[in-house]
Amino acid sequence: MFKKLFITLFIALFFITGFSANASEEVNVYSYRQPFLVEPLFTQFTEQTGIKVNVVFAKEGMAERLAREGKYSPADILLTTDISRLIELRDKDLVQAVNSSVLSSAIPKQYQAQDNTWFALTTRVRNIYSAKRLGKIDINYEDLADEKYKGRVCTRSGKHPYTVALVASMISEHGETYTLDWLKKVKNNLARKPQGSDRAQVQAIHQNLCDISLGNSYYFGKMLKDDKQKVWADEVYINFPNQKNRGAHINISGVAMAKYAPNVKNAQALMEFLVSKPAQALYAQTNMEYPIREGVAVSKLVASWGSYKADALPLEDIAKNRKTALKLLDQAQFDL
Ligand SMILES: [Fe+2]
């Protein structure tokens, strides 16, 4: 009798402790960031902590999926590029605040949420690429509206988050009226309807379809390292805009903790790992982004483009203009 009870108790204890020990050693990630970039980071994290990382990779639909799953969602942390996606997750009440001195001290104030609901992990500049045939130029975003570039500007869609964020920053700087006028003039200068990726615009410069395009900084490195695309990149200069005034427009990749994260402690540990020096170095080397943490070197190639002045406005302030930016892009019929 006693023996039987003891065995039952033993089995019960084994399952309770055994199961909870395993469950506490994992963390679930929903990621818009690609496997080649984040898998080496997670491998290092698991080696250091013993915490297993389960990842769901996606290209879209993260907010919808989280909303559908509600409090039964297995997601602990959410990885994405672009401030607007992070703000969207917060606006839809899908994330929770993380109070971590490790995060708040490693990340400059302008690149983290005031309410601790999102944190930047890397930055990227919205550069202006210019054809070498123009010679060296000194350019501001405002100049994209200049008549001298009539029919010579190429860009991706006005609906893309990178464009929307830039337009939002123009509203922050100049207000709605100026920005709408600017958008109309930029549209007037376009060589073709907005289309394709940032890299496709540089290809168009190579094909002499245009002379000027907008593109994120890391794409310059990616093109230079690609056998086929190197000839495109060789045709352009990478310009850091607005260096004599407010500085270049910066966007981020970032992280947030899911509202119903089942593994809060492990999730915070992973978030803190992502701003550690080794993780930041991996971001810089693997994807040629700018590390968010000071004192971590950029890749050699990125360093060769020189240093730059960044717009000091907090991203949170820029993101407030996101809806207005979409409205103005619509009014300017930018994509039509
Ligand atoms: Fe990108």
Side-chain angles (χ1 to χ4, degrees):
M1 172 67 187
F2 257 131
K3 198 178 164 192
K4 205 176 164 192
L5 185 69
F6 180 78
I7 289 170
T8 311
L9 204 69
F10 178 80
I11 291 171
L13 271 176
F14 176 82
F15 273 105
I16 291 163
T17 54
F19 183 75
S20 59
N22 277 332
S24 70
E25 281 166 22
E26 55 180 28
V27 59
N28 304 321
V29 180
Y30 285 7
S31 178
Y32 276 154
R33 307 237 62 195
Q34 294 172 59
F36 81 92
L37 174 64
V38 292
E39 271 166 0
L41 289 163
F42 297 154
T43 304
Q44 255 196 46
F45 174 71
T46 303
E47 273 167 19
Q48 267 182 35
T49 61
I51 301 167
K52 189 176 167 238
V53 184
N54 310 308
V55 199
V56 175
F57 292 103
K59 282 200 165 133
E60 51 192 22
M62 192 191 287
E64 292 76 8
R65 179 171 180 163
L66 288 164
R68 204 170 50 237
E69 292 169 340
K71 60 183 169 186
Y72 303 107
S73 174
D76 290 305
I77 79 168
L78 316 168
L79 281 177
T80 178
T81 60
D82 197 78
I83 180 64
S84 66
R85 292 200 181 99
L86 290 161
I87 299 281
E88 183 197 4
L89 293 169
R90 180 177 68 194
D91 285 352
K92 294 185 171 163
D93 196 24
L94 299 169
V95 297
Q96 62 174 301
V98 177
N99 298 310
S100 156
S101 58
V102 175
L103 291 171
S104 58
S105 65
I107 303 169
K109 282 280 165 284
Q110 73 186 106
Y111 300 129
Q112 52 177 298
Q114 283 154 6
D115 62 359
N116 296 334
T117 52
W118 58 263
F119 300 88
L121 296 172
T122 61
T123 63
R124 53 272 296 280
V125 178
R126 194 76 183 142
N127 290 105
I128 294 176
Y129 295 113
S130 63
K132 284 186 177 167
R133 53 185 167 263
L134 298 185
K136 291 258 184 194
I137 58 168
D138 178 19
I139 192 163
N140 301 310
Y141 299 112
E142 288 77 357
D143 300 330
L144 296 173
D146 193 318
E147 266 189 4
K148 73 178 170 201
Y149 296 127
K150 179 119 189 137
R152 300 304 293 169
V153 178
C154 277
T155 183
R156 75 189 313 160
S157 166
K159 294 199 175 68
H160 193 276
Y162 298 160
T163 314
V164 177
L166 175 64
V167 174
S169 84
M170 289 294 287
I171 297 168
S172 299
E173 178 70 15
H174 296 293
E176 271 188 56
T177 310
Y178 176 98
T179 305
L180 179 59
D181 181 58
W182 173 74
L183 275 172
K184 287 177 177 167
K185 287 176 176 158
V186 175
K187 190 198 164 184
N188 239 335
N189 279 349
L190 293 181
R192 57 179 187 181
K193 255 167 62 161
Q195 60 192 272
S197 64
D198 281 0
R199 282 186 259 199
Q201 316 311 320
V202 179
Q203 181 186 22
I205 293 177
H206 167 73
Q207 293 163 335
N208 203 7
L209 289 172
C210 39
D211 289 324
I212 301 277
S213 77
L214 285 160
N216 281 357
S217 44
Y218 52 90
Y219 288 124
F220 196 49
K222 290 186 177 225
M223 287 184 286
L224 286 169
K225 287 186 175 180
D226 183 289
D227 288 342
K228 191 181 140 221
Q229 298 171 0
K230 189 176 180 301
V231 287
W232 310 347
D234 283 341
E235 209 79 45
V236 300
Y237 292 120
I238 180 170
N239 302 283
F240 293 91
N242 297 75
Q243 292 305 285
K244 287 179 183 148
N245 42 74
R246 69 183 177 280
H249 170 59
I250 305 297
N251 210 320
I252 55 167
S253 79
V255 64
M257 191 185 288
K259 181 167 183 185
Y260 299 106
N263 306 293
V264 167
K265 225 180 91 198
N266 293 344
Q268 185 169 334
L270 178 53
M271 290 168 84
E272 290 174 352
F273 169 80
L274 292 174
V275 297
S276 70
K277 280 185 184 166
Q280 287 285 304
L282 258 176
Y283 271 116
Q285 301 304 326
T286 316
N287 206 36
M288 292 171 283
E289 294 176 59
Y290 293 94
I292 201 73
R293 190 190 188 99
E294 242 183 74
V296 176
V298 295
S299 84
K300 255 194 186 154
L301 183 57
V302 175
S304 73
W305 308 335
S307 56
Y308 63 91
K309 178 182 169 187
D311 188 345
L313 202 66
L315 279 193
E316 193 104 75
D317 291 350
I318 294 175
K320 278 181 197 145
N321 292 325
R322 185 175 160 267
K323 286 201 179 106
T324 313
L326 285 165
K327 184 186 80 184
L328 297 188
L329 282 154
D330 233 35
Q331 283 176 6
Q333 300 191 307
F334 195 75
D335 275 3
L336 297 177

